[in-house]
């Protein structure tokens, strides 16, 4: 792996103390680009995940979402989406569907997520790379940073691919854990290498850990 590829550091946002919790209320005035949104935290085999959805679809997944991490994520999303979270029946449907599909994925029965996705938290090159990852790297396979750069027609952009993985707002669902070093190493992962190994083992790419 090149030094550029080692930049694959995913941003982990916030932690919160209840394993399953939904947002209430909304006080921040919405700007012209504001998106209404809701969130909840779900327990999973890799730890609590914060899920946030807009009216357009699932917008983000946050690792290690207990305590301050979840609180920080909610604060950051409030700034980025332009309004505080608020409950919504339609968004609750998306969050419930996301939770059920994640449960199926971790149980080994679901191999493709079929959720509506809101891509508004990523733009430009990053969005292109992440959409290629979502569409072109299926369950149980991996791709190198350089290979993914080639696929989007930017052969000199392996480093930028690593940065796009680091900025992925939808890990697990848009499976940046499937992006590895071109030489075959596991590469980096902001959710933690143990989490990356666990996801790759679940998909049969790596052996299951002995302990």
């Amino acid at each position: 792996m090149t030094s550029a590829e080692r930049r694959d550091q995913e941003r982990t946002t916030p932690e919160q103390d209840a394993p399953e919790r939904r947002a209430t209320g909304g006080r921040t005035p919405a700007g012209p680009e504001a998106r209404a949104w809701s969130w909840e935290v779900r327990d999973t085999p890799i730890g609590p995940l914060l899920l946030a959805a807009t009216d357009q679809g699932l917008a983000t997944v946050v690792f290690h979402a207990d305590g301050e991490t979840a609180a920080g994520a909610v604060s950051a999303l409030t700034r980025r989406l332009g309004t505080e979270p608020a409950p919504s029946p339609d968004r609750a449907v998306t969050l419930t569907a996301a939770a059920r599909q994640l449960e199926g994925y971790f149980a080994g029965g679901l191999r493709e997520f079929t959720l509506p996705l809101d891509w508004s938290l990523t733009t430009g090159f990053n969005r292109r790379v992440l959409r290629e990852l979502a569409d072109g790297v299926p369950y149980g396979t991996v791709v190198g940073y350089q290979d993914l750069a080639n696929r989007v027609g930017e052969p000199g952009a392996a480093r930028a691919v690593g940065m796009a993985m680091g900025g992925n707002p939808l890990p697990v669902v848009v499976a940046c854990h499937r992006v590895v070093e071109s030489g075959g190493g596991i590469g980096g992962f902001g959710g933690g290498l143990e989490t990356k190994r666990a996801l790759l083992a679940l998909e049969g790419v790596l052996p299951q850990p002995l302990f």
Side-chain angles (χ1 to χ4, degrees):
M1 179 183 186
T2 67
S3 59
E5 292 173 339
R6 295 185 187 279
R7 300 297 182 99
D8 181 13
Q9 297 292 327
E10 295 212 358
R11 291 179 299 193
T12 36
T13 36
E15 270 182 37
Q16 170 164 347
D17 28 28
E20 195 167 321
R21 195 172 292 179
R22 294 199 176 183
T24 59
R27 296 183 300 276
T28 302
E33 301 299 324
R35 288 179 182 247
W37 65 288
S38 306
W39 65 277
E40 66 181 39
V41 173
R42 292 276 181 157
D43 281 331
T44 77
I46 59 169
L49 297 178
L50 184 146
L51 312 176
T54 68
D55 294 335
Q56 287 69 41
L58 187 69
T60 196
V61 176
V62 178
F63 289 120
H64 312 306
D66 49 340
E68 293 180 3
T69 297
V74 171
S75 178
L77 285 166
T78 297
R79 292 192 301 272
R80 295 192 67 184
L81 294 174
T83 185
E84 290 195 5
S88 157
D90 290 341
R91 294 192 293 275
V93 168
T94 299
L95 291 170
T96 298
R100 287 177 178 167
Q101 290 192 29
L102 284 165
E103 182 178 356
Y105 170 78
F106 286 115
L110 184 142
R111 298 194 167 200
E112 182 179 1
F113 291 95
T114 55
L115 297 165
L117 300 180
D118 181 344
W119 294 93
S120 64
L121 295 178
T122 184
T123 59
F125 176 83
N126 285 12
R127 186 185 292 187
R128 286 171 51 207
V129 171
L130 290 169
R131 292 188 74 111
E132 173 60 30
L133 174 64
D135 295 338
V137 185
Y139 184 102
T141 67
V142 295
V143 65
Y145 298 88
Q146 183 61 60
D147 293 337
L148 198 51
N150 293 343
R151 290 191 189 195
V152 296
E154 302 283 355
R159 176 178 179 176
V161 168
M163 295 175 69
M165 297 307 102
N168 179 15
L170 289 159
V172 185
V173 175
V174 177
C176 50
H177 59 273
R178 297 178 191 154
V179 185
V180 298
E181 296 179 4
S182 299
I186 191 172
F189 197 61
L193 290 182
E194 288 186 7
T195 299
K196 186 169 188 176
R197 289 190 185 99
L199 294 171
L200 291 174
L202 173 66
E203 297 187 12
V205 176
L206 294 178
Q208 290 287 346
L210 294 176
F211 302 100

